Amino acid sequence: MAIPLVQAEIASRNELPHDAEVLPFYHLSTTDLVAELSHDNDSTNNSMIDDLTTNLDPDLDFQSQEAMSMTGFGQSSCSYYDIDKFNSLQASDFDIFHLNSRSLNKNFGKIADYLSLLKHDFSIIGFTETWFNDNSNPLIHLNNYTLIDSHRNTKKGGGVCLFIRNDLPFTKRVDLSTFDSSAESLFVEVKSPKMKHNIIVGILYRPPNGALSDFSDYMDQTLLAIANEKKECFILGDFNINTLSEKSSGFMNNVLSHGFSQTITKPTRITNNSTTLIDNILTNTSMSDQYTEIANGVLVTDISDHFPIFIKRHLVTNTPISRDGCSSYKHNFSPQNIANFNDNISNADWQHVLNENNTSMAYDKFCETFTDIHNSSFPYQKQTKSKYKNGKSPWITSGILKSIKKQKQTIQALYQEPNRCEQIQLF
């Protein structure tokens, strides 16, 4: 009986005084208001996700899968998520969230409420189209995060910002950042006790009317500079280049040529007239590198005309890499090291964990301390094996193995005593 009563109230709205427009739901149509009050939000979200995953244009879905197959992440890696599905994901050590906010000051209340429903403290939260300017300073704050931004002086629109969690020390990378008519970007280098190497993170917005050639030049120079540093990097933002379209091949070829790939392959902006993938997170890290992927995808919500995107990564313990192919590294679990580990655990100060009110942060601090004690108590030890033992090819006999070994020793002797070259003849 609730719906007829609601409709009766709506039918009489024309009789309300002019200032009634300040009332909640006044601007909603009859259909929208009935749907808002009579349907469960979770079922609505589930229905929306079902529509997104089953009713996409097959050609677009094929392009999405083909694009993902080029990234090294696997075709099924990128998915659509509602709040419950996202909250069911396992914890991660490093994760990123991005949204084109279309005026962050105006929409920050809805965005903050949505982030609280996700029940997750992202490592970095980025926003494009903040619409900040010199006359409109940021009026926003997220607990336990530091805000940095780059915005236009007076002209409306554009702008980028990053919220960086306070436990992640960072430095601004001015050398990689830019702000002009073709690209608006802000880069930082992040350090975490859990990471052996720093990570570069950039937020980028490409104005749709900017010169694409200038943007391509900037991307080429920036990706090359990052590649030369040999550091993990994530570039998130609204590129305003639909990577589902064949017209994006030039941009994607440039990205791939520098060892980067896109992690988002589902449409991020869906209107009545178009379905496009213009928001993305680019990275030069693959599943075989320092990280093990947990999830990356698109969050379904109506807080903006763009869907938020995210990536959650789990940092793998940094194991030394063998350069000669004949050695490996393992923790040394000697009796003495085990005794040292027991003493270190017993004497460790856990007060910083006990004093933390946030359960997720307390868990992270515990894992961080435990891992540090473990790695210092059980250092890596090089395990060496012979290159010439058990040759894989059946025709490699023990006699041939001895000859190979003898040849290697002879060549090494030559390198050490160059004058002997004239005295030795190789047949």
Side-chain angles (χ1 to χ4, degrees):
M1 296 178 61
I3 294 177
L5 289 175
V6 170
Q7 291 175 330
E9 291 291 331
I10 296 171
S12 62
R13 71 164 59 200
N14 291 332
E15 301 175 5
L16 294 174
H18 177 71
D19 57 2
E21 64 183 15
V22 301
L23 297 174
F25 307 117
Y26 179 86
H27 295 286
L28 291 180
S29 67
T30 301
T31 303
D32 291 340
L33 181 56
V34 171
E36 183 75 17
L37 298 179
S38 61
H39 289 81
D40 181 78
N41 287 334
D42 289 337
S43 63
T44 302
N45 283 338
N46 291 335
S47 175
M48 186 182 299
I49 289 181
D50 290 341
D51 289 342
L52 288 172
T53 55
T54 60
N55 295 335
L56 281 178
D57 185 324
D59 290 335
L60 289 176
D61 194 46
F62 170 78
Q63 293 172 20
S64 171
Q65 293 182 13
E66 186 176 23
M68 182 57 88
S69 68
M70 300 174 63
T71 67
F73 292 98
Q75 291 185 3
S76 61
S77 178
C78 183
S79 302
Y80 286 104
Y81 288 80
D82 63 5
I83 292 172
D84 290 338
K85 183 178 178 181
F86 177 86
N87 287 338
S88 68
L89 295 173
Q90 68 182 93
S92 57
D93 294 318
F94 190 78
D95 36 45
I96 297 172
F97 172 99
H98 166 261
L99 174 66
N100 179 316
S101 61
R102 299 279 296 173
S103 180
L104 193 52
N105 278 337
K106 176 182 177 182
N107 296 318
F108 188 72
K110 293 189 296 183
I111 294 171
D113 290 343
Y114 180 75
L115 288 172
S116 67
L117 293 175
L118 294 180
K119 298 179 182 179
H120 184 76
D121 295 327
F122 288 94
S123 304
I124 294 179
I125 299 172
F127 296 102
T128 49
E129 285 208 82
T130 60
W131 293 10
F132 297 153
N133 57 54
D134 289 347
N135 299 320
S136 174
N137 293 324
L139 304 175
I140 54 180
H141 173 74
L142 282 178
N143 290 331
N144 199 35
Y145 285 87
T146 298
L147 169 64
I148 59 172
D149 87 288
S150 185
H151 58 260
R152 299 178 182 179
N153 294 330
T154 55
K155 184 180 177 181
K156 182 180 178 181
V160 294
C161 76
L162 291 172
F163 284 90
I164 304 170
R165 208 171 60 206
N166 288 341
D167 64 324
L168 297 174
F170 70 92
T171 56
K172 292 183 179 180
R173 291 295 305 267
V174 180
D175 57 315
L176 300 175
S177 306
T178 190
F179 207 96
D180 56 33
S181 61
S182 63
E184 302 174 0
S185 68
L186 181 61
F187 279 80
V188 296
E189 189 165 327
V190 179
K191 174 66 177 176
S192 170
K194 297 179 182 179
M195 297 180 284
K196 185 177 181 180
H197 303 290
N198 292 357
I199 290 182
I200 297 173
V201 178
I203 179 85
L204 185 148
Y205 174 68
R206 188 186 83 82
N209 296 325
L212 187 56
S213 58
D214 292 342
F215 175 74
S216 298
D217 290 342
Y218 165 70
M219 287 295 293
D220 186 53
Q221 296 171 8
T222 302
L223 296 181
L224 178 60
I226 295 171
N228 289 336
E229 294 188 30
K230 296 180 169 37
K231 295 176 181 175
E232 269 72 40
C233 177
F234 297 91
I235 304 175
L236 51 146
D238 177 0
F239 297 84
N240 271 312
I241 297 175
N242 179 20
T243 56
L244 295 177
S245 168
E246 293 181 357
K247 295 180 180 180
S248 69
S249 60
F251 168 71
M252 287 308 304
N253 287 339
N254 189 17
V255 168
L256 293 170
S257 69
H258 292 292
F260 280 75
S261 55
Q262 62 175 345
T263 62
I264 306 300
T265 58
K266 302 290 186 184
T268 59
R269 190 169 188 267
I270 300 176
T271 68
N272 292 332
N273 302 316
S274 64
T275 301
T276 55
L277 200 179
I278 57 178
D279 307 274
N280 224 307
I281 301 175
L282 306 179
T283 183
N284 59 359
T285 301
S286 68
M287 293 173 64
S288 59
D289 286 332
Q290 183 181 353
Y291 302 91
T292 298
E293 179 188 7
I294 293 179
N296 49 282
V298 181
L299 291 157
V300 179
T301 177
D302 61 352
I303 56 178
S304 171
D305 62 341
H306 294 242
F307 289 144
I309 55 178
F310 73 92
I311 186 168
K312 292 167 63 73
R313 302 292 239 174
H314 176 67
L315 292 168
V316 177
T317 302
N318 297 290
T319 304
I321 301 173
S322 169
R323 299 298 180 189
D324 56 12
C326 298
S327 58
S328 61
Y329 293 81
K330 295 182 179 180
H331 287 288
N332 182 3
F333 294 104
S334 67
Q336 182 59 51
N337 287 345
I338 292 175
N340 292 340
F341 174 75
N342 291 334
D343 290 341
N344 292 335
I345 283 289
S346 300
N347 297 326
D349 182 9
W350 300 99
Q351 203 60 44
H352 64 297
V353 178
L354 300 175
N355 291 339
E356 178 58 61
N357 295 323
N358 185 298
T359 305
S360 296
M361 292 295 294
Y363 174 77
D364 288 342
K365 291 180 179 179
F366 168 81
C367 291
E368 178 183 321
T369 303
F370 182 89
T371 301
D372 289 342
I373 294 174
H374 176 276
N375 291 341
S376 62
S377 301
F378 304 113
Y380 284 106
Q381 187 174 49
K382 187 175 182 179
Q383 310 289 316
T384 305
K385 60 183 179 180
S386 173
K387 285 185 179 181
Y388 312 105
K389 185 178 181 180
N390 298 328
K392 293 182 179 180
S393 301
W395 57 85
I396 302 295
T397 65
S398 59
I400 294 177
L401 288 176
K402 290 180 181 179
S403 298
I404 294 174
K405 187 173 183 180
K406 181 63 177 177
Q407 183 191 46
K408 182 176 183 295
Q409 291 172 345
T410 303
I411 293 174
Q412 287 178 338
L414 286 174
Y415 286 142
Q416 294 171 2
E417 301 179 50
N419 292 333
R420 292 186 58 195
C421 291
E422 298 177 357
Q423 305 172 15
I424 299 177
Q425 284 187 328
L426 298 179
F427 297 95

